[in-house]
Amino acid sequence: MVRQREFDKEKALDKAMELFWEKGYAATSISDLTAIMGIQRPSLYATFGDKEKLFEAALRKYTNLHASLIRTKLQSTTSVKEAFRNLFEELIEEEYKNKVSKGCFCINTIVELAPHDEKFEILTREHEMYLSVIFQETLLKGIKSGELESNLDVKALAQTLVVALIGITVLLKSLPERSFVDKSVNLILSLIK
């Protein structure tokens, strides 16, 4: 008789995601994972496969949640300029409020694994491109409403905003002087015309 799994797979995956996000792939051991997930090694392997497959599942869940959150934030106001300003300012405010920055799980993966592992290079690039599409849709909404100039290079600006978001997120891990970040964001957002 096969023993039934006695844990919530999604809750366990959430706990693994948080741990990988905090410590990264290399610094997270199987023992760390089983302890935080509240499961035994055989259950981890039977449910998720190996550590790399668990990391991939956690990253995929994170990128889906992250993209959904970004989309929701950008749709929270009718003004496109205000929506982007809120997105960047909320990110910055949260990082300075927390005093310790975990950064973004996907961006951390770009830095840690993408240069050495093609699978994670592709997964993280897909997320970057998806964010670019979300940004393009938002910018097009601004053009359609008349808030933004009709000759705006939407694709290039969307990609620039993604690069800026990634760069600022990495920079915030060291919590530089706040005015340094604020001035940079103001200049970046001035590109949205």
Side-chain angles (χ1 to χ4, degrees):
M1 184 168 146
V2 176
R3 194 167 170 204
Q4 293 294 320
R5 190 171 53 224
E6 297 176 13
F7 65 94
D8 184 320
K9 180 181 174 182
E10 287 305 310
K11 284 184 182 175
L13 182 58
D14 287 344
K15 296 215 180 251
M17 180 178 71
E18 287 294 325
L19 187 62
F20 280 131
W21 187 358
E22 181 183 325
K23 293 179 76 171
Y25 179 79
T28 302
S29 70
I30 293 293
S31 296
D32 294 336
L33 289 163
T34 56
I36 196 88
M37 295 166 77
I39 62 176
Q40 300 299 315
R41 283 177 187 252
S43 295
L44 185 148
Y45 291 121
T47 305
F48 299 103
D50 61 13
K51 177 181 166 184
E52 184 177 313
K53 288 187 178 109
L54 175 58
F55 185 88
E56 181 181 346
L59 181 61
R60 286 183 185 279
K61 181 170 188 168
Y62 175 87
T63 57
N64 287 334
L65 291 170
H66 185 250
S68 178
L69 178 67
I70 296 284
R71 183 182 295 282
T72 299
K73 285 184 177 190
L74 289 175
Q75 293 174 348
S76 67
T77 180
T78 55
S79 167
V80 169
K81 291 178 182 180
E82 186 179 323
F84 277 108
R85 177 161 299 284
N86 291 345
L87 176 68
F88 280 86
E89 287 181 352
E90 286 171 17
L91 167 70
I92 294 164
E93 194 59 43
E94 185 176 321
E95 295 303 315
Y96 279 99
K97 182 180 78 179
N98 292 336
K99 302 280 189 221
V100 176
S101 175
K102 291 191 307 187
C104 165
F105 183 24
C106 185
I107 295 170
N108 295 348
T109 303
I110 290 170
V111 174
E112 182 184 12
L113 297 178
H116 318 289
D117 189 314
E118 185 178 12
K119 179 192 323 178
F120 293 109
E121 175 192 344
I122 292 167
L123 277 171
T124 56
R125 189 176 328 118
E126 285 173 354
H127 186 58
E128 294 163 20
M129 294 302 102
Y130 189 58
L131 290 180
S132 180
V133 168
I134 293 170
F135 288 4
Q136 285 179 59
E137 290 170 356
T138 305
L139 293 167
L140 287 170
K141 177 182 143 192
I143 290 171
K144 194 174 199 176
S145 73
E147 181 184 3
L148 304 181
E149 296 174 2
S150 61
N151 64 347
L152 192 65
D153 186 341
V154 173
K155 185 174 182 179
L157 181 54
Q159 291 171 344
T160 300
L161 291 169
V162 169
V163 169
L165 185 68
I166 291 170
I168 288 167
T169 303
V170 171
L171 182 68
L172 286 172
K173 289 186 75 121
S174 68
L175 295 176
E177 185 69 36
R178 177 73 188 252
S179 64
F180 180 84
V181 178
D182 289 340
K183 288 176 185 175
S184 299
V185 168
N186 285 334
L187 182 60
I188 291 161
L189 294 176
S190 74
L191 300 173
I192 306 173
K193 300 177 179 180

